[in-house]
Amino acid sequence: MNRFFRYFRKTTVSFTILSVLILITWIADTSPAADRDKEYVAKQITNFKVDGNIREWDRAEVVPFDQLKDAGNQIPDPDDFTGSGRVAWNANDPTRIYFLVEITDDTLQDIHPANSMWWVDDSVEFMFDFDNNVTRDALVQWTLGANGKDLSAAGSSSNTEWIVVKNGNDYIYEVALDPTKQRGPNPGNDNKGKDFRAKDGLTVGFSFHMNDCENGGREHQIGWIAGQAWDPLSFGDLTFDKEFLDVEPSGKIALTWAAIKR
C-alpha cells in the first residue's frame, strides 16, 4: 500500500509539473504580440557598409511611408513629402540592424539641438519592442535628424553608424543600429534590447516613421502603419530571415514586408 501511495504522489507531482509547463506554453503562444496585423521579413546583406552607396539594397523589400501617425490630417501631396524604408541584417554582425530610408521633402526644418524637441525637426524615428511585451513601457526609440548630425532618444555615437546623403529634395539615410551599445539620454526603456542578437526566425516589434516639419511645427508624422507612435499594437512584427538579398532567391515561400498575417 505504501508503495502505491508513493507511486501516486510521484505521478501527481509529474502531472502537476507537466500541467504548469503546458500552461506556460499556452500563455506564451497566446500573448498580445499575436494581435499585430502585419509581419515583416528582413533578409541578410553581405559586406554592408554605411557609405550612401545603396546598390546592396536593390532586392530588399520596400515599405512605403503612407500612413499617418501622431501628426497630420491627411497624407501629404507627393511634391511635399514621400518616403519609404527597408531593413536588413547579417548573421556575422548579429547585434546590429541595418536600415535604408529614402525621403523626398521640399522643406527641411532644423531648429532644435539634439535631444531637444527632436520631433519638431525633420527626422526619422526607429522604435522597437524587443521582447514583444506589447506595452508602452517596453519600447525603445532612436531618432536621427535629417541634418545628418543630430542623434536623439536612444541614439548615440556608440550605437549608431549612419550617413545622410542629400541630392536636392531627396534624402537617403543609411543606418546601422546596435541596441547593445551605450544609449542616448532619452531612450524610452533603457533596459530593453541590451542583449539583442539577430538570428534566423527571431521576431521583434518594430516601427519606423518620419517627422515632416515646416513653419516651426510638425506637419506630419508618417510611416508604414497607422496609429499612435507609442502604441505597440501599431507596430509590425519584424522577423529576421537567413536568406541573402545578394543571391538568387532560394525558391522557398517567404513572407515579404507588409504581408498580412494569415
Side-chain angles (χ1 to χ4, degrees):
M1 182 65 70
N2 288 337
R3 182 181 300 173
F4 171 78
F5 281 116
R6 284 197 299 272
Y7 173 78
F8 179 77
R9 283 197 298 270
K10 288 181 180 179
T11 303
T12 302
V13 170
S14 298
F15 179 78
T16 301
I17 293 173
L18 179 61
S19 298
V20 170
L21 291 174
I22 291 173
L23 179 61
I24 291 172
T25 302
W26 179 83
I27 291 173
D29 288 343
T30 57
S31 67
D35 290 339
R36 291 191 175 121
D37 291 332
K38 294 183 179 181
E39 184 173 24
Y40 308 85
V41 177
K43 306 296 180 66
Q44 293 196 75
I45 287 178
T46 55
N47 301 316
F48 175 74
K49 293 181 180 179
V50 179
D51 57 7
N53 187 333
I54 63 173
R55 62 185 180 276
E56 67 264 39
W57 291 94
D58 284 348
R59 293 186 57 242
E61 296 285 348
V62 179
V63 178
F65 288 0
D66 59 2
Q67 300 293 322
L68 292 175
K69 303 296 289 179
D70 287 349
N73 295 320
Q74 61 184 16
I75 301 298
D77 294 331
D79 59 352
D80 179 16
F81 174 90
T82 59
S84 64
R86 314 181 204 191
V87 182
W89 70 294
N90 187 276
N92 293 322
D93 189 21
T95 64
R96 299 205 302 171
I97 313 172
Y98 310 147
F99 300 94
L100 176 67
V101 175
E102 298 177 90
I103 301 295
T104 298
D105 191 354
D106 63 340
T107 303
L108 172 64
Q109 180 163 293
D110 178 22
I111 58 177
H112 298 93
N115 282 300
S116 175
M117 297 183 67
W118 59 82
W119 56 92
V120 193
D121 285 338
D122 280 81
S123 54
V124 63
E125 297 183 347
F126 305 87
M127 301 186 68
F128 300 90
D129 182 4
F130 286 108
D131 295 341
N132 273 318
N133 287 336
V134 198
T135 62
R136 179 188 173 98
D137 291 343
L139 305 183
V140 187
Q141 178 192 56
W142 272 254
T143 304
L144 281 61
N147 60 12
K149 299 181 295 183
D150 290 349
L151 290 168
S152 300
S156 73
S157 58
S158 298
N159 64 32
T160 305
E161 183 183 3
W162 65 308
I163 188 172
V164 177
V165 178
K166 182 178 183 297
N167 181 16
N169 292 337
D170 298 328
Y171 301 81
I172 294 174
Y173 289 77
E174 195 168 30
V175 182
L177 300 183
D178 189 335
T180 69
K181 298 292 181 63
Q182 183 177 355
R183 296 178 179 176
N186 300 292
N189 190 318
D190 190 39
N191 296 316
K192 296 295 185 180
K194 288 192 170 180
D195 58 352
F196 172 81
R197 293 183 69 86
K199 62 181 180 180
D200 181 43
L202 175 68
T203 296
V204 300
F206 172 65
S207 175
F208 56 173
H209 42 260
M210 189 75 185
N211 294 312
D212 175 32
C213 304
E214 296 181 22
N215 303 314
R218 181 170 63 173
E219 288 194 342
H220 307 94
Q221 187 183 61
I222 186 167
W224 49 263
I225 188 170
Q228 299 296 306
W230 285 88
D231 178 2
L233 288 177
S234 295
F235 282 35
D237 287 334
L238 171 61
T239 299
F240 298 89
D241 186 276
K242 64 183 178 182
E243 184 177 333
F244 284 88
L245 289 170
D246 47 1
V247 297
E248 289 299 314
S250 64
K252 71 176 182 178
I253 297 175
L255 291 173
T256 58
W257 284 92
I260 301 298
K261 285 184 178 179
R262 301 299 183 186

